[in-house]
Amino acid sequence: MFLPKYPDNPTPPPAYSHAPTDPAPVRRAVPQISISTGAVAAVLAGGVVLTALLAAVAVTAISVAIAAVVLRSMLRDQHRR
């Protein structure tokens, strides 16, 4: 009379469902790209030029900083006398 009635399936349904995984992506045909030696040489030359410019800017900045420190110390000595 007071006995509980159990469901036919004792395991509860999962709280989440697994989404089906997509099949392997389809590879599209990629057009062949040919790189000529002239293009490689142009890229290398551009890299060398940009590196040289960066080095020149760095050397200039360092020399300006040193000149500013020297001028500042010379002007400080002038004001102390």
Side-chain angles (χ1 to χ4, degrees):
M1 181 168 141
F2 293 110
L3 293 176
K5 187 169 186 173
Y6 295 109
D8 293 337
N9 187 3
T11 58
Y16 59 91
S17 62
H18 292 284
T21 58
D22 292 335
V26 178
R27 290 189 171 220
R28 297 183 190 144
V30 178
Q32 293 291 332
I33 299 173
S34 62
I35 300 174
S36 65
T37 55
V40 173
V43 168
L44 287 177
V48 168
V49 168
L50 289 177
T51 304
L53 286 173
L54 181 63
V57 168
V59 168
T60 304
I62 291 171
S63 65
V64 167
I66 291 172
V69 169
V70 169
L71 283 174
R72 185 173 148 192
S73 67
M74 288 172 62
L75 289 175
R76 186 182 305 158
D77 289 340
Q78 282 289 342
H79 287 297
R80 286 185 183 173
R81 291 184 186 188

